Amino acid sequence: MTAPEERLLPPVRHPASWRAQAPVVAAVSLGGGVGATARYAASLWWTTPPQGFPWTTLWVNIAGCAVIGVFMVVITETRTAHP
């Protein structure tokens, strides 16, 4: 007689704790608040005609994407990845 085959189950992954996610949530919240404030301030300075395209919002979003790109390069180049 042979022994029954032992089935190996994949390791159980536990969700990350709140303490590990808190800096990410804070950064996303801060970025969202800054972006919303920038769009609102820019829309007060440069108004859009009633039937016009909101160019101001588009340019603020493009500038925000550029800032996020710069931050990502700075963060990934200066910090080593956590194993």
Side-chain angles (χ1 to χ4, degrees):
M1 296 198 89
T2 61
E5 288 186 31
E6 190 174 316
R7 293 185 184 187
L8 298 177
L9 298 175
V12 177
R13 295 186 137 198
H14 298 287
S17 69
W18 172 248
R19 290 177 192 241
Q21 293 178 0
V24 175
V25 171
V28 170
S29 299
L30 182 65
V34 170
T37 303
R39 282 188 296 275
Y40 179 70
S43 71
L44 291 178
W45 289 336
W46 298 288
T47 58
T48 302
Q51 297 298 320
F53 185 79
W55 289 103
T56 305
T57 302
L58 176 70
W59 287 111
V60 170
N61 286 343
I62 290 171
C65 290
V67 169
I68 289 171
V70 169
F71 281 159
M72 286 303 298
V73 168
V74 168
I75 290 169
T76 57
E77 295 295 322
T78 58
R79 264 181 97 187
T80 57
H82 179 60

